[in-house]
Amino acid sequence: MKEIVVIIGGGIAGLEAASKLLDLGYSPIIVEKSGRLGGHVARWNRLFPDMTPAADIVSELTERTKGANIFLNTEISFINRLRDSYNIKLSNGISINTSYILFTTGFSLFEAEKKEEYGYGVYDQVITNGDLEQWFNTGEDHRISGKEIGHIGFVHCVGSRDEKARNSQCSKVCCITAIKQAIELKEKFPDAEIWCFYMDLRLFGKKFEDFYTKAQRDYGIHFIRGRVSEVSENIEGKVIVKAEDTLAGKPIKITLDLLVLMSGMVCSQDSTKTAGMLSLPVDSDGFLKSSDNVMHITSSPKNGIFYAGACTGPKTVPETLAEARSAVLEIHSHISRK
């Protein structure tokens, strides 16, 4: 009889894990709360640094999961710890017994309205990175479509590296995402002037620095080191941004047609809710706590429970896929030792 592995979350980590489990002869079951697979990546337009269409990645990963049992629009109602296994009750009434559970529950974007000083939800021309990706995909957003967009600003680290927001951690991908989105907007509005306001540029990944150089050299995007101190709106509905250019040592004031807030990653409430059913610990950064952060990041402190992807912290797409493969090997190793 094939061993059943339950994967909680149908994002790219869950899809990659399911495909690898199928390759090894197991029977993966994906439980996804929404009506589609792919998670956040399915809502993105292109991926840095190669501008790969996100839909292509999701399509390829989904194609590889043929043979897995997939439950969409389904949540975990309850998990009961048995002697040497787990009984999982789903919201669709189905009950599953398994010895192995893989959390691939991902992350949520920080709710930008909590940073009231930036005016999200108050000023019409203030949007988030998530809103912008939706516009790239659909072309539908009254704040952008059909308007003359000549001046655009990006605010990095919204809800990240911020004690007031109760998140002192770096979200890891905001800087490179802002650069990607700035380039995409420049392609849409070639005559626009674009400014990125940042604290520090954290460009750690392969070709990230090249991407940053390209944004400046080929697209003329301006990078201002300094926090935005105030956002307001003038009588014409344009956004007025006040900040300090710490490199030049002077305050600046810019009037913009559009301001994009780079909302950071936080652990999703679904992750912590489901983890709570198993009394799994949450780390100081709010994400699920691995056995350790070096050797066993895909292992939980509980036997038979594993993690992959952004449920344990901010990750890039390549890191997420790599962790999914690693978690599957850990599960396979445990099963082989039985």
Side-chain angles (χ1 to χ4, degrees):
M1 181 178 176
K2 292 182 178 179
E3 190 82 43
I4 294 172
V5 180
V6 175
I7 301 169
I8 305 176
I12 61 170
L15 292 172
E16 179 69 355
S19 73
K20 297 306 178 187
L21 286 165
L22 285 167
D23 290 344
L24 290 169
Y26 299 115
S27 298
I29 297 173
I30 296 177
V31 182
E32 168 55 41
K33 66 177 181 178
S34 72
R36 65 177 182 178
L37 298 169
H40 286 276
V41 174
R43 295 191 284 273
W44 242 237
N45 181 253
R46 287 188 278 174
L47 305 176
F48 54 78
D50 296 339
M51 292 300 196
T52 307
D56 291 354
I57 302 296
V58 174
S59 178
E60 181 179 339
L61 290 171
T62 302
E63 181 68 22
R64 287 198 233 142
T65 60
K66 287 184 177 178
N69 288 312
I70 300 174
F71 297 106
L72 299 177
N73 297 306
T74 305
E75 297 187 39
I76 305 295
S77 297
F78 186 74
I79 303 178
N80 186 31
R81 179 74 166 100
L82 305 177
R83 182 178 178 181
D84 56 359
S85 63
Y86 301 92
N87 178 252
I88 304 173
K89 295 182 180 179
L90 306 182
S91 59
N92 59 10
I94 292 175
S95 182
I96 304 168
N97 285 328
T98 180
S99 298
Y100 300 95
I101 300 173
L102 175 59
F103 276 74
T104 58
T105 44
F107 67 94
S108 295
L109 286 176
F110 175 80
E111 296 173 358
E113 56 266 33
K114 292 181 178 179
K115 294 293 292 181
E116 297 176 357
E117 61 267 36
Y118 295 145
Y120 183 71
V122 178
Y123 306 131
D124 200 39
Q125 293 308 112
V126 179
I127 68 173
T128 66
N129 44 357
D131 297 332
L132 184 54
E133 287 294 332
Q134 183 174 4
W135 181 74
F136 287 145
N137 277 325
T138 66
E140 298 176 2
D141 192 314
H142 72 277
R143 297 167 292 189
I144 309 173
S145 299
K147 291 192 175 183
E148 291 186 13
I149 305 292
H151 298 84
I152 304 165
F154 284 82
V155 179
H156 293 216
C157 298
V158 176
S160 299
R161 303 177 65 194
D162 187 338
E163 292 289 351
K164 290 183 179 179
R166 297 182 179 179
N167 183 19
S168 60
Q169 305 300 313
C170 173
S171 284
K172 202 170 191 178
V173 299
C174 295
C175 289
I176 192 68
T177 299
I179 293 170
K180 178 197 82 82
Q181 291 186 334
I183 288 174
E184 288 178 287
L185 279 176
K186 188 68 173 178
E187 291 174 345
K188 299 283 188 182
F189 305 102
D191 297 328
E193 289 286 321
I194 301 178
W195 291 266
C196 288
F197 298 93
Y198 68 94
M199 290 192 293
D200 300 292
L201 287 174
R202 298 189 168 185
L203 305 173
F204 63 92
K206 181 177 174 62
K207 294 177 66 176
F208 286 11
E209 284 287 347
D210 294 342
F211 205 48
Y212 168 53
T213 301
K214 180 179 180 180
Q216 297 175 90
R217 181 191 62 219
D218 298 343
Y219 292 89
I221 295 165
H222 309 288
F223 290 85
I224 308 296
R225 188 177 188 276
R227 271 191 180 276
V228 170
S229 59
E230 183 182 333
V231 175
S232 59
E233 186 179 65
N234 65 16
I235 195 169
E236 298 174 338
K238 294 182 183 292
V239 179
I240 301 171
V241 169
K242 292 182 180 179
E244 181 184 2
D245 185 337
T246 58
L247 295 179
K250 63 180 181 180
I252 58 175
K253 179 180 177 181
I254 302 176
T255 301
L256 304 171
D257 300 300
L258 187 70
L259 181 64
V260 184
L261 307 180
M262 303 306 298
S263 291
M265 291 186 185
V266 295
C267 191
S268 71
Q269 290 185 349
D270 291 313
S271 293
T272 51
K273 177 184 175 183
T274 308
M277 297 176 186
L278 293 163
S279 300
L280 292 167
V282 174
D283 216 335
S284 58
D285 59 2
F287 289 86
L288 303 187
K289 187 174 184 178
S290 303
S291 293
D292 67 60
N293 292 311
V294 179
M295 290 291 289
H296 304 102
I297 198 165
T298 60
S299 299
S300 84
K302 301 238 172 179
N303 189 42
I305 309 295
F306 299 86
Y307 302 138
C311 62
T312 57
K315 308 280 165 58
T316 63
V317 168
E319 288 172 330
T320 297
L321 297 176
E323 277 197 8
R325 298 165 194 144
S326 176
V328 167
L329 288 176
E330 283 289 318
I331 293 169
H332 178 59
S333 177
H334 274 252
I335 294 172
S336 300
R337 289 198 298 266
K338 275 188 172 183

